[in-house]
Amino acid sequence: MEIHIVQTAAIGQLGGELIARQLRSKPDSILGLATGSTPIPFYKEWISLVGKGELSFARARSFNLDEYAGLPRSHSQSYWTFMQENLLRHIDLQASATEIPNGEAADLQAECVRYDRMLESAGGIDWQLLGIGHNGHIGFNEPGPSLTAGTHVVELAEETRQANSRFFDSLDDVPRQAITVGMGSILKAREIVLVAQGEGKADIVSQALTGPVTTELPASFLQLHAKVTVVLDEAAASKLPASLLGSTRGVEQL
Ligand code: PGA
């Protein structure tokens, strides 16, 4: 596991370097993309690099991690809308090369099967971007007595609905279900980049990276993956034990 600690304002720049390295080595990469506040600095930087002609997604494909069930795509808080506004509309990734689970499907189970088939026929994810929930979820793989390998319909944890209610008029408006790519597809990604910023994530990041591997903290399974890059700002890294901090380069100046 490679851990980078950078100033909050430098997270985007590092995100630009990481994607540039990936696309340089494999221009037709299958990218696993995420939503939420966490990836926004990455996406801003990618848009800027594409605008300057320094980065191209023209040969890449993307698969998003998740989508709310029952929200129309056109809803301001659907992840489809989030992706268009925060990334896809502004870069040269082809519209036909971007996949997001269809939360409006009449048969959600069939949609999960369809999504897994697409992922499989694409050869799986080369480079997976992840945020982490305050409860340790990745994608919408919520803590519980078991985890699911494939794409599935999930009941959102109350904590997740509360956290996401900041984007809705009220808690009641936050969907109760979502479709999420499962732990199997995430852990089969050839490289995973986990990003967290802010003090609010410090405890869960430390537990995920150093605590027991448990379904009660889905991100802890990343400890079992061969190629994980962790990007943290100083606040999110503030609870990491000395044993892990020793393997970092301190706060890196980019
Ligand atoms: P956030 O969410 O980026 O909005 O903090 C992360 C997550 O829930 O995975």
Side-chain angles (χ1 to χ4, degrees):
M1 185 175 292
E2 188 178 300
I3 302 178
H4 295 272
I5 304 171
V6 296
Q7 284 170 354
T8 311
I11 287 183
Q13 190 188 333
L14 184 53
E17 289 173 16
L18 292 171
I19 195 75
R21 188 171 75 189
Q22 175 64 29
L23 290 176
R24 218 178 293 126
S25 73
K26 190 169 188 242
D28 58 347
S29 289
I30 308 294
L31 305 174
L33 299 181
T35 49
S37 336
T38 302
I40 287 179
F42 272 43
Y43 294 164
K44 283 195 170 142
E45 179 72 9
W46 297 359
I47 292 167
S48 154
L49 293 171
V50 169
K52 288 189 274 186
E54 294 173 17
L55 184 67
S56 174
F57 291 85
R59 294 180 54 201
R61 280 184 77 186
S62 70
F63 284 84
N64 260 76
L65 279 169
D66 45 19
E67 177 60 285
Y68 289 119
L71 273 196
R73 263 187 170 190
S74 57
H75 191 282
S76 64
Q77 296 310 323
S78 77
Y79 286 165
W80 189 87
T81 299
F82 176 98
M83 289 308 294
Q84 305 308 317
E85 288 181 352
N86 290 287
L87 182 68
L88 298 174
R89 178 181 299 167
H90 312 285
I91 62 171
D92 58 348
L93 188 61
Q94 298 186 29
S96 61
T98 67
E99 306 291 350
I100 300 176
N102 177 10
E104 288 181 274
D107 183 341
L108 293 174
Q109 304 297 343
E111 171 59 10
C112 294
V113 171
R114 185 188 76 89
Y115 207 70
D116 273 345
R117 288 212 179 112
M118 281 194 303
L119 265 170
E120 200 174 315
S121 67
I125 304 286
D126 290 309
W127 192 93
Q128 176 69 58
L129 179 59
L130 293 177
I132 179 171
H134 291 95
N135 63 0
H137 73 200
I138 46 180
F140 274 138
N141 292 281
E142 301 282 24
S146 67
L147 291 167
T148 304
T151 301
H152 59 286
V153 177
V154 62
E155 301 291 324
L156 294 179
E158 214 38 46
E159 212 174 343
T160 300
R161 294 185 63 246
Q162 301 250 1
N164 291 4
S165 66
R166 67 193 195 275
F167 301 115
F168 290 82
D169 290 340
S170 74
L171 181 59
D172 271 349
D173 293 332
V174 183
R176 293 177 186 279
Q177 287 188 320
I179 292 179
T180 185
V181 163
M183 292 297 288
S185 310
I186 292 174
L187 292 171
K188 277 186 262 177
R190 285 171 273 283
E191 179 170 358
I192 295 176
V193 177
L194 176 75
V195 187
Q197 69 176 77
E199 206 184 339
K201 296 280 173 78
D203 274 321
I204 200 72
V205 164
S206 173
Q207 286 173 47
L209 302 188
T210 64
V213 174
T214 164
T215 60
E216 297 296 341
L217 203 174
S220 65
F221 278 76
L222 298 176
Q223 293 178 48
L224 306 181
H225 193 277
K227 195 163 185 210
V228 178
T229 302
V230 182
V231 176
L232 304 172
D233 68 358
E234 288 173 271
S238 60
K239 303 266 174 74
L240 287 186
S243 55
L244 263 193
L245 281 174
S247 66
T248 71
R249 283 175 265 166
V251 180
E252 296 169 39
Q253 304 300 324
L254 297 180

